[in-house]
Amino acid sequence: MLMIDQLRDGKIKAFAKHRYESSSAEELRAASEGPADKAEMEHWELSEGQWEEAIAAALADHESDE
């Protein structure tokens, strides 16, 4: 989880790790191409930019594992 480990904000890092562990690379690609998930943003108390940053980091780590 090289990209996730580089995240500085604890909330973003925790969400990115959660999504990395609970989502496939395909699911993360789909999430990155669509609108931010408002329910996840509310639950994790993230802005849209923070949500996007976490999804991008989780996806990058999944892709580096492939």
Side-chain angles (χ1 to χ4, degrees):
M1 290 190 287
L2 181 61
M3 293 301 293
I4 292 172
D5 288 341
Q6 292 179 18
L7 295 171
R8 297 183 189 271
D9 185 296
K11 286 192 303 185
I12 299 171
K13 184 182 279 191
F15 176 63
K17 185 175 180 182
H18 165 75
R19 286 302 303 262
Y20 174 83
E21 293 172 348
S22 66
S23 303
S24 67
E26 184 176 298
E27 291 169 324
L28 291 166
R29 272 188 213 98
S32 71
E33 293 169 359
D37 185 305
K38 302 295 184 199
E40 284 183 334
M41 288 170 47
E42 184 177 313
H43 176 79
W44 288 86
E45 298 179 353
L46 299 170
S47 69
E48 186 171 344
Q50 290 172 318
W51 184 91
E52 291 169 349
E53 184 178 357
I55 294 296
L59 176 57
D61 281 347
H62 257 295
E63 289 176 338
S64 72
D65 292 344
E66 293 178 350

